[in-house]
Amino acid sequence: MNHPPRDSTTTATGGTLTINRIACTGRGICAHLLPNTIRLDDWGYPIINDTPPPKRSLRAAVRLCPTGALRMEKNKRNK
């Protein structure tokens, strides 16, 4: 069964990893750096799965994304 592409996932640090599909050019750097968290579709665009990415690799992938399409956002805590 094929699952629809996901645009975000919660990370081990409680933040959210997101992909801006409009900005993404499908170079695959994120999938190379986060192979357990991101896979590529048939056209080379990223699909996020449920596996939390390692913190160090996550930072590198976000920093190295050539278009800034991969982002890490901190979740807001409810008080």
Side-chain angles (χ1 to χ4, degrees):
M1 173 182 206
N2 290 334
H3 297 283
R6 295 188 56 193
D7 293 330
S8 66
T9 189
T10 302
T11 67
T13 59
T16 302
L17 175 65
T18 62
I19 296 173
N20 178 333
R21 296 201 175 278
I22 295 170
C24 181
T25 58
R27 298 198 183 197
I29 294 170
C30 56
H32 177 74
L33 293 171
L34 302 171
N36 294 323
T37 303
I38 298 176
R39 66 180 175 85
L40 301 178
D41 67 12
D42 293 339
W43 297 277
Y45 289 91
I47 298 171
I48 298 176
N49 65 35
D50 291 329
T51 306
K55 192 174 183 179
R56 180 178 235 164
S57 298
L58 173 61
R59 286 190 200 136
V62 169
R63 187 178 68 252
L64 294 172
C65 179
T67 63
L70 189 68
R71 299 184 58 104
M72 178 61 200
E73 299 172 2
K74 292 182 181 180
N75 290 342
K76 296 177 183 175
R77 293 183 183 180
N78 296 332
K79 293 184 177 183

